[in-house]
Amino acid sequence: MLAYYFELALRSLRRNKALTALMVLAIALGIGASMTTLTVLHVLSGDPLPGRSNTLYAPQLDPRDMTGYRPRAEPLDQVTWIDGMNLLQAKRADRQALMTGGSVAIQPAQSALDPFYQTARYTTADFFPMFGVPFRYGHAWGASEDAASAAVVVISSKLNDKLFGGRDSTGRIMRLENHALRIIGVLGDWRPNPHFYDLNVKNYGADEGVYLPLSTSQDLHLAHLGGADCWGNGGNDATHTAPCVWLQFWVQLDTPAKAAAYRQFLVHYSQEQKTLGRFQRPPNVRLRNLMQWLDYERVVPGDVQLQSWLALGFLLVCLVNTVGLMLAKFLRRSAELGVRRALGASRRALFSQLLVEAGVVGLAGGLGGLLLAYLGLWLVRRQPADYAPLAHLDGAMLLMTLLLAVGASLLAGVLPAWRACRVTPGLQLKSN
């Protein structure tokens, strides 16, 4: 029966091509605009580490003085050097990593390449297993290299391609800020977005090429890159003793019970530091998992969210127009529908037939909307925003585009189909 209704729908749509084209265009414009913005929102609000995000947490402490104190205010997003090292050495989590960003000068051995700057990540050994970082060649450093401030480095696959043509570069020497470091690993394909572990550099699109032990970066006096929040007489000096937060600290806690215990540990630690005179404020801690952290930091740009709502509003306007066009088309066929009713067709059968016709319009509009969405995303990728290169339509969003188009057209067709199938057969036969 559906095949028969589908054939009738095609015949009906071909009879009035102009009206059909208007309905398809209305659906296509609404779907294209809404799916462009929804795809961008989907990409930007996605889970950067699926399967791991619910066990990764960002601890927060409040080591500030009493200036500007407000009860229940949010603590700072980063940690001081003293607190970071204390928490790291306490080893109360399954894994923990203390880190910060940087920018380093690379002096290539090849004469054909000029020296250039590369963004860097100064971190501790658990960074790689905790975040599930894949390796193309070699391996990461361990706790012993952290303790010894070893002159080792891990580089990204992109930097390896640039310096060594993609060959295995482990064991080679890289000159970095006039220091010789031995390459021990080359990363595989790893670029989580948002750049969750350090939102002080970029929310999206950060491409770090160099990773080296945090202790090594401090011994070599490598430049710190990122924000520093200071109080008292700290100025803006990100040093080991200044009252400034400038490092990121992440922990892995494999069960909710461990997370609850770690939060209690943070409270006790804050109380201890207050007793020692370092902290002045009452204990004020937070322990958010990765996705909660992204929500708290509001990493999705506000203009993207606003554009999504506007696009959905535009889709609603297009659907209202489609309802009017379908109503005009279906009521114009009142005579035909009346004859079918007189010959024994039920209202339910007529209603189903007209809904199938609406679905065909939606499918055609969805295909047109898909093309418009691809065009819209191509234009987004041409924007200067740091998230622009991420705007791609994946399989899930492609399927959602077609389902949304068909569903929207079926919804738009309910009222016109209901009105049309309630025609009185006698009146239609008499008028003919």
Side-chain angles (χ1 to χ4, degrees):
M1 188 61 71
L2 283 177
Y4 175 61
Y5 289 160
F6 184 76
E7 182 180 353
L8 290 178
L10 292 180
R11 290 179 182 177
S12 173
L13 294 174
R14 282 197 294 264
R15 279 201 300 266
N16 196 328
K17 297 180 181 178
L19 194 56
T20 299
L22 286 175
M23 291 189 293
V24 171
L25 180 61
I27 293 290
L29 289 174
I31 293 297
S34 59
M35 290 312 300
T36 297
T37 57
L38 288 177
T39 298
V40 174
L41 183 64
H42 167 71
V43 171
L44 300 189
S45 60
D47 187 344
L49 291 182
R52 291 179 177 270
S53 57
N54 62 333
T55 63
L56 299 176
Y57 295 83
Q60 292 174 263
L61 303 169
D62 200 344
R64 292 172 291 184
D65 56 28
M66 296 300 293
T67 304
Y69 170 70
R70 289 182 296 109
R72 295 182 297 278
E74 285 290 337
L76 298 173
D77 294 350
Q78 303 183 98
V79 298
T80 66
W81 175 269
I82 295 174
D83 293 322
M85 294 304 295
N86 287 342
L87 297 177
L88 186 71
Q89 293 167 5
K91 297 182 179 179
R92 298 294 291 267
D94 294 295
R95 289 191 175 102
Q96 48 270 309
L98 182 65
M99 68 193 79
T100 191
S103 179
V104 295
I106 306 292
Q107 290 97 26
Q110 304 89 326
S111 58
L113 290 176
D114 294 328
F116 59 93
Y117 278 93
Q118 179 68 56
T119 54
R121 174 72 20 192
Y122 315 139
T123 184
T124 52
D126 277 355
F127 177 93
F128 301 97
M130 185 166 71
F131 294 150
V133 183
F135 276 80
R136 183 177 176 187
Y137 304 118
H139 54 82
W141 64 84
S144 58
E145 284 88 354
D146 274 336
S149 301
V152 296
V153 65
V154 170
I155 63 175
S156 69
S157 182
K158 182 178 179 180
L159 182 58
N160 186 67
D161 291 342
K162 181 175 183 177
L163 294 178
F164 304 103
R167 296 182 297 275
D168 185 354
S169 60
T170 55
R172 302 283 293 270
I173 299 299
M174 170 189 284
R175 292 204 62 82
L176 183 153
E177 298 280 351
N178 293 317
H179 303 287
L181 284 80
R182 180 171 56 89
I183 300 173
I184 61 171
V186 177
L187 298 188
D189 183 16
W190 191 72
R191 192 180 180 185
N193 276 294
H195 190 251
F196 66 93
Y197 52 84
D198 186 0
L199 298 172
N200 298 281
V201 181
K202 276 186 178 181
N203 286 358
Y204 298 93
D207 188 13
E208 294 155 336
V210 174
Y211 300 78
L212 64 154
L214 178 64
S215 56
T216 304
S217 73
Q218 299 303 291
D219 285 357
L220 300 181
H221 304 290
L222 299 181
H224 158 73
L225 179 65
D229 193 347
C230 303
W231 59 94
N233 296 321
N236 196 32
D237 187 16
T239 64
H240 292 184
T241 58
C244 300
V245 294
W246 56 282
L247 297 119
Q248 302 81 51
F249 186 65
W250 284 83
V251 296
Q252 178 181 326
L253 301 163
D254 293 335
T255 66
K258 290 182 178 180
Y262 195 87
R263 189 184 186 286
Q264 196 59 37
F265 161 68
L266 293 176
V267 174
H268 291 157
Y269 174 81
S270 298
Q271 291 172 338
E272 179 185 68
Q273 295 301 308
K274 191 173 188 302
T275 301
L276 294 173
R278 281 196 62 242
F279 288 10
Q280 296 184 25
R281 302 187 178 193
N284 182 21
V285 305
R286 302 288 188 278
L287 187 65
R288 295 180 168 94
N289 66 28
L290 193 156
M291 296 307 293
Q292 292 170 340
W293 177 254
L294 295 180
D295 289 340
Y296 165 67
E297 291 288 344
R298 299 180 181 178
V299 296
V300 178
D303 60 334
V304 172
Q305 296 179 343
L306 177 60
Q307 289 166 11
S308 298
W309 285 111
L310 291 175
L312 290 175
F314 179 66
L315 174 60
L316 181 61
V317 171
C318 292
L319 289 181
V320 171
N321 289 331
T322 304
V323 169
L325 293 171
M326 283 188 181
L327 189 60
K329 180 176 176 58
F330 291 168
L331 291 181
R332 186 179 296 178
R333 295 166 54 195
S334 296
E336 172 196 333
L337 298 174
V339 171
R340 288 203 61 205
R341 285 280 287 121
L343 293 176
S346 65
R347 286 179 175 174
R348 181 177 180 179
L350 294 182
F351 186 77
S352 300
Q353 174 192 339
L354 296 176
L355 275 190
V356 169
E357 186 171 330
V360 173
V361 171
L363 184 60
L367 294 175
L370 192 60
L371 295 176
L372 292 176
Y374 274 115
L375 175 61
L377 292 172
W378 179 80
L379 293 174
V380 170
R381 290 195 294 273
R382 297 298 180 274
Q383 301 301 312
D386 59 358
Y387 61 80
L390 305 175
H392 289 278
L393 197 67
D394 57 20
M397 296 304 292
L398 189 151
L399 179 61
M400 182 179 173
T401 301
L402 297 178
L403 292 178
L404 180 61
V406 174
S409 63
L410 289 176
L411 182 63
V414 168
L415 176 61
W418 179 79
R419 287 282 304 276
C421 72
R422 293 184 65 84
V423 297
T424 304
L427 293 176
Q428 297 301 324
L429 293 174
K430 183 177 179 180
S431 64
N432 288 332

